[in-house]
Amino acid sequence: LIGRLMFELPGEMGLIAIAVRQTQGKGRGGNAWLSPVGCALSTLHITIPLHSNLGQRIPFIQHLVSLAVVESVRSIPGYEDIDLRVKWPNDIYYSDLMKLGGVLVNSTLLETTFHILIGFGFNVNNSNPTICINDLITKFNKEEGTKLQPLTADCLIARTVTVLERFIDIFQEKGPNGVLPHYYKYWVHSGKQVRLYSEEGPIAWIVGIDDYGFLQVHEEGKGVESVHPDGNSFDMLRNLIVPK
């Protein structure tokens, strides 16, 4: 529906579709995305000028969306320590233990404007198939003696889109360095080890992401290189390859 509408609307008009339930949710590489009731599910249409900071670094959008989901919860007073995090390139995690959300971005370049369709889904009030944000809040209340209220999917979709708009504005004004400190605050990878090329490949340490959103790793004796995932396994970071 949005794919048909997005070229017909005035440029300044936003467009979002929200589902209470999905029966044919899509993940990366044709994977299915399970979407029971209690999930926050939406597709958002935005436009980005080609000749802008973000237009020159379009892969960064998935990182901004993942960050916006996490920030939508952790920017609420009292909820700052709910252990919701981002996993490169496009997952939302409980600590570094369990996935509870994901982002899928498709872009179409029309003349000098990118039309971006952002699909995002994250578990708010559904304990299956993994864990959900309200489970984390309940756990936090039990451990810390607090009385934080559960959150709703509607509230968090609205907050996510508002926060995303702010991050896009910051990125357009200041480039990657305007948002990366915030991203690193919430990501799960600092100092983690990965293998390059294969299961028995050389060990490298994750150091950050570059200006185009690729992962940067440091392999001993070789300095810092940018890499991306080879294939679409559940553990996106097991086998990494160096782009040519």
Side-chain angles (χ1 to χ4, degrees):
L1 178 65
I2 288 192
R4 292 199 302 273
L5 278 176
M6 66 184 188
F7 301 121
E8 308 296 327
L9 293 176
E12 66 277 7
M13 185 178 284
L15 196 59
I16 188 168
I18 296 169
V20 173
R21 187 173 201 162
Q22 278 185 151
T23 55
Q24 296 180 51
K26 291 187 174 72
R28 278 171 64 95
N31 287 346
W33 173 261
L34 301 177
S35 318
V37 172
C39 236
L41 305 163
S42 67
T43 298
L44 172 70
H45 169 242
I46 61 171
T47 55
I48 301 290
L50 169 62
H51 302 296
S52 67
N53 267 329
L54 192 50
Q56 294 297 299
R57 300 168 176 85
I58 279 297
F60 237 99
I61 287 184
Q62 60 190 334
H63 309 320
L64 297 185
V65 180
S66 303
L67 177 57
V69 170
V70 172
E71 178 75 358
S72 75
V73 175
R74 298 188 67 165
S75 62
I76 302 172
Y79 292 73
E80 297 91 346
D81 293 326
I82 300 297
D83 201 4
L84 204 59
R85 297 187 174 271
V86 290
K87 178 178 182 237
W88 184 90
N90 55 4
D91 288 334
I92 296 102
Y93 257 60
Y94 156 49
S95 183
D96 59 353
L97 300 171
M98 212 176 292
K99 179 175 175 173
L100 54 71
V103 176
L104 196 62
V105 176
N106 289 300
S107 63
T108 304
L109 182 61
L110 208 60
E111 295 178 349
T112 58
T113 302
F114 277 109
H115 287 262
I116 315 285
L117 283 182
I118 301 165
F120 59 92
F122 53 97
N123 302 337
V124 179
N125 199 35
N126 52 299
S127 299
N128 291 314
T130 55
I131 196 169
C132 68
I133 289 167
N134 284 341
D135 287 345
L136 303 188
I137 293 169
T138 301
K139 180 174 180 291
F140 185 82
N141 282 338
K142 203 174 286 184
E143 290 172 355
E144 302 295 327
T146 48
K147 294 183 178 176
L148 300 178
Q149 294 301 303
L151 301 171
T152 66
D154 290 352
C155 163
L156 292 183
I157 290 171
R159 289 182 65 86
T160 295
V161 172
T162 303
V163 171
L164 176 62
E165 194 169 43
R166 178 162 55 86
F167 282 140
I168 288 173
D169 287 345
I170 293 169
F171 196 103
Q172 294 292 40
E173 185 188 339
K174 299 180 178 176
N177 290 336
V179 295
L180 278 176
H182 218 70
Y183 185 79
Y184 292 144
K185 180 180 168 187
Y186 293 137
W187 87 330
V188 300
H189 304 296
S190 295
K192 295 278 175 75
Q193 284 185 1
V194 290
R195 292 267 183 189
L196 300 181
Y197 316 118
S198 70
E199 297 280 335
E200 286 79 39
I203 290 175
W205 284 264
I206 297 175
V207 293
I209 56 177
D210 67 16
D211 280 358
Y212 295 91
F214 285 125
L215 203 65
Q216 289 181 308
V217 300
H218 181 260
E219 186 186 344
E220 209 165 313
K222 289 202 174 176
V224 174
E225 292 184 306
S226 294
V227 298
H228 61 73
D230 181 13
N232 189 33
S233 60
F234 172 71
D235 183 354
M236 291 294 294
L237 302 184
R238 284 180 78 173
N239 301 325
L240 295 164
I241 56 175
V242 180
K244 290 178 180 171

